[in-house]
Amino acid sequence: MCDLTEAEIEAIAEHEHMDPMIAMALGQYLTSHHGDQRIKSIILDDIKRAERCGNTTHAEVLRKVLQHFLATHPEHGNSAAA
């Protein structure tokens, strides 16, 4: 239904405190309206939050999500990966 993976949608849902279906709609809107930089920022914020909470396992999963996102959306803001 959108250009994002389930993990990318879950990262948006986590960050925005919303249902995954709504996060999927938001993610689709952002990817179709040059909002890739916003999605990158959301994932980076989630990584920082996980690290602050000491959840290194979740932070590592999110780093992989970010790497995949940057690899599959190279046209917008592919610099400064975590």
Side-chain angles (χ1 to χ4, degrees):
M1 290 180 82
C2 82
D3 293 337
L4 300 173
T5 66
E6 183 176 345
E8 292 162 348
I9 292 166
E10 288 173 4
I12 294 170
E14 175 184 336
H15 186 270
E16 299 298 323
H17 307 284
M18 61 178 52
D19 183 87
M21 288 299 289
I22 297 169
M24 181 175 60
L26 175 60
Q28 178 60 31
Y29 174 82
L30 290 171
T31 58
S32 64
H33 290 86
H34 305 291
D36 292 351
Q37 192 64 34
R38 175 72 177 126
I39 295 171
K40 176 185 166 186
S41 177
I42 286 171
I43 299 169
L44 285 168
D45 285 350
D46 288 347
I47 292 168
K48 291 174 190 170
R49 184 179 310 114
E51 289 173 341
R52 278 194 312 270
C53 293
N55 192 342
T56 56
T57 302
H58 187 51
E60 185 58 33
V61 168
L62 289 167
R63 278 189 201 86
K64 291 176 183 174
V65 170
L66 179 61
Q67 289 173 343
H68 179 268
F69 179 77
L70 294 175
T72 58
H73 296 85
E75 61 278 358
H76 299 288
N78 196 7
S79 61

